[in-house]
């Protein structure tokens, strides 16, 4: 039996960072793909604690909330820093990634036509903190925690790739960020 099962829709959405983490860490997992038609039947939604996907199971452990799933895998696979101090700094960075993800989702779902130009103009301010973190690179590696990959790098990479699609080539103007994309 595979250790992990992830139930989600056939999109990258809130699951891509988790899938990248698992693949990069050479972990196997079972994908339980939920089509819109299956979801609209309502049974699974009713059974989910918060009525939403992704749903993650590891034996008798069931989790919801993409960031909680990511952090759980981070703890299991040594991707949360080497001590409490690094774990705390990674928490800050991950919350920052989540903040930008929420802004992005609001743009896409609520104000794309009228909001895109301003959003792209503001991107340099939004992405600057990540560039500063990644520029601390060591040993030729550009990760949030210097030379050791963490759960936040997968989350950030997914977000950067999404923004590459939104504003083609824009992320390449950030040296540290493009290094992160290239290295991962
Ligand atoms: O990060 C998380 O897992 C949650 N804070 C959000 C989960 C979520 O928004 N799930 C959506 C699909 S992903 N995004 O757009 C979901 O399950 N939608 C279906 C529904 O009936 O709400």
């Amino acid at each position: 039996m595979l250790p992990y099962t992830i139930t989600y829709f056939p999109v990258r959405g809130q699951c891509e960072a988790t899938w990248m983490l698992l693949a990069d860490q050479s972990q196997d997992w079972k994908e339980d793909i939920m089509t819109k038609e299956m979801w609209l039947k309502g049974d699974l939604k009713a059974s989910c604690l918060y009525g939403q996907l992704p749903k993650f199971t590891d034996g008798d452990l069931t989790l919801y909330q993409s960031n909680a799933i990511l952090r759980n895998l981070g703890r299991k696979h040594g991707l949360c820093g080497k001590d409490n101090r690094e774990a705390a700094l990674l928490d800050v960075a991950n919350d920052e990634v989540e903040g930008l993800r929420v802004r992005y989702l609001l743009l896409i779902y609520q104000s794309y036509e009228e909001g895109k130009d301003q959003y792209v103009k503001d991107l340099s301010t939004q992405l600057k903190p990540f560039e500063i973190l990644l520029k601390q690179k060591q040993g030729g590696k550009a990760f949030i925690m210097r030379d050791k990959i963490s759960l936040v790098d997968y989350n950030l990479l997914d977000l950067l790739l999404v923004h590459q699609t939104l504003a083609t080539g824009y992320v390449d103007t950030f040296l540290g960020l493009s290094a992160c994309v290239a290295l991962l």
Side-chain angles (χ1 to χ4, degrees):
M1 195 175 97
L2 293 172
Y4 307 128
T5 301
I6 298 173
T7 308
Y8 197 52
F9 303 106
V11 295
R12 55 188 296 165
Q14 308 279 13
C15 258
E16 185 70 8
T18 295
W19 290 326
M20 284 196 289
L21 181 156
L22 289 171
D24 194 44
Q25 296 296 316
S26 306
Q27 298 299 308
D28 288 327
W29 73 96
K30 177 174 176 280
E31 301 230 7
D32 195 358
I33 303 290
M34 194 53 45
T35 62
K36 191 174 171 191
E37 292 68 34
M38 291 155 83
W39 181 249
L40 288 176
K41 286 182 186 160
D43 303 350
L44 178 61
K45 184 175 174 72
S47 76
C48 291
L49 188 57
Y50 303 106
Q52 291 193 313
L53 298 177
K55 172 183 174 180
F56 170 93
T57 58
D58 176 8
D60 62 1
L61 174 68
T62 298
L63 297 176
Y64 301 95
Q65 296 297 343
S66 52
N67 278 291
I69 294 166
L70 206 53
R71 282 195 298 271
N72 172 64
L73 289 170
R75 284 188 291 272
K76 280 192 79 163
H77 297 288
L79 301 164
C80 288
K82 67 176 182 323
D83 52 24
N84 283 342
R85 184 176 182 279
E86 286 195 359
L89 293 171
L90 287 170
D91 275 346
V92 177
N94 203 53
D95 282 4
E96 217 33 63
V97 173
E98 178 62 14
L100 183 53
R101 190 182 294 281
V102 169
R103 280 175 54 94
Y104 169 80
L105 290 172
L106 286 174
L107 171 76
I108 297 297
Y109 289 117
Q110 291 184 9
S111 60
Y112 187 78
E113 291 303 329
E114 69 280 18
K116 185 184 169 192
D117 288 351
Q118 188 60 47
Y119 183 94
V120 171
K121 274 188 200 139
D122 292 345
L123 255 188
S124 57
T125 308
Q126 298 292 323
L127 293 178
K128 192 78 194 162
F130 301 117
E131 188 178 39
I132 290 169
L133 288 171
L134 294 171
K135 272 185 173 169
Q136 306 173 115
K137 64 182 175 189
Q138 284 182 359
K141 294 186 176 164
F143 299 126
I144 294 281
M145 204 41 78
R146 299 181 298 276
D147 59 343
K148 172 89 169 73
I149 198 162
S150 72
L151 69 105
V152 188
D153 293 286
Y154 300 108
N155 210 6
L156 176 59
L157 177 62
D158 172 47
L159 199 67
L160 293 178
L161 293 174
V162 161
H163 281 86
Q164 279 283 45
T165 304
L166 178 79
T168 311
Y170 187 84
V171 172
D172 292 336
T173 62
F174 292 84
L175 195 62
L177 298 184
S178 58
C180 172
V181 171
L183 282 168
L184 276 165

